[in-house]
Amino acid sequence: MKREEIIKNRQFIADKKWFLPITVAGLIAGALLISSSMMKTTDYSLLCSLSKSRPGTINEFSTTVDQLKAIIHYATSRIVPQQNFREISVTFDVLQKRSPCNFLVFGLGYDSLMWTSLNPGGNTLFLEEDPKWIQTVLKDAPSLRAHAVKYRTQLKQANSLLAHYKSEPNCHPSKAYLRGNHKCKLALTGFPDEFYYTEWDLIMIDAPRGYFAEAPGRMAAIYSAAVMARNQKGSGWTHVFLHDVDRKVEKGFAREFLCKKYLVKSVGRLWHFEIPPAANLSSHAGHRFC
């Protein structure tokens, strides 16, 4: 089934089909009001790590334009985001406190304009496996920042990848790194420079595809999110949001790498983790993340 057909099948029917888009538009409108008031009162030197990696000031005008475009988009669209309102609200609550910040999203879709608008003045980057799909989405939302990426894994390899991680020293948390780590099959390599050099405050994992055997699966995305969170140089904790935890692989890899002790909220098919940098841990040398 093509991606467009899958998304169309997620649309609400009859009288419910307009509820979520309009609700999302309301969320964005609220974020716009909040950000507008914060622009006048916030000390930008105290904002999250965005200030450390992105020089310059926040463009208040362009932020407002993005939010207004998102409101119009969702208020006039029958296509709903991949997550429901309760799941979206989990990330929205964190963005209200941390925005503007560095927000990494695995996946690109009709909800991407929403995520960008909920991080006004921040750095929101999308990673997508399908170049043609990027063109489709950017046709309607050209302001989005997205990169096409390639994954080395397939869903059917999930069990063997777990065994590989346990036996390969370059996968272990005490030695783990991503860029150029070809020995560890779970490390994401060959990605854009920005992926490696930015300290991400929030990471959303809602891709790549993981519903058929030859799909890339989210094993490497989950592992790499854990590595990036632990390797943070700053003192702040990293928020990781994982969608589709009703599936066996997502749930199993989350428990192995993101750790149950860091799970702070579970809503619907979404898990929210807060992961500290390794420097904050009393003991981080060893073969296991959790």
Side-chain angles (χ1 to χ4, degrees), residues 12-21 80:
F12 283 117
I13 59 174
D15 58 330
K16 293 184 179 180
K17 64 186 178 182
W18 288 101
F19 175 75
L20 186 53
V80 301

Side-chain angles (χ1 to χ4, degrees), residues 120-134:
N123 173 26
T124 304
L125 180 68
F126 301 92
L127 303 176
E128 170 57 43
E129 61 181 294
D130 185 351
K132 291 184 178 179
W133 179 244
I134 292 179

Side-chain angles (χ1 to χ4, degrees), residues 6-7 37 98 176 192 200 222:
I6 294 172
I7 291 177
S37 61
R98 298 295 298 271
W200 301 104
I222 294 170

Side-chain angles (χ1 to χ4, degrees), residues 10-12 15-28 70-81 83 85 88 114:
R10 287 174 173 166
Q11 296 179 18
F12 283 117
D15 58 330
K16 293 184 179 180
K17 64 186 178 182
W18 288 101
F19 175 75
L20 186 53
I22 292 175
T23 304
V24 169
L27 273 179
I28 297 166
I71 292 172
I72 294 171
H73 172 80
Y74 291 106
T76 59
S77 175
R78 298 186 182 187
I79 300 174
V80 301
Q83 300 177 26
F85 173 73
I88 291 170
M114 173 190 68

Side-chain angles (χ1 to χ4, degrees), residues 23 34 43 48 145 174 222 269 272 283:
T23 304
I34 293 170
D43 178 359
C48 67
R145 300 182 60 248
S174 57
I222 294 170
R269 296 183 295 134
H272 171 205
S283 175

Side-chain angles (χ1 to χ4, degrees), residues 179-201:
R179 190 183 183 98
N181 188 358
H182 299 290
K183 290 186 177 181
C184 180
K185 296 178 182 179
L186 283 169
L188 292 176
T189 60
F191 275 43
D193 290 343
E194 183 178 4
F195 172 76
Y196 301 106
Y197 295 148
T198 304
E199 295 214 336
W200 301 104
D201 302 292

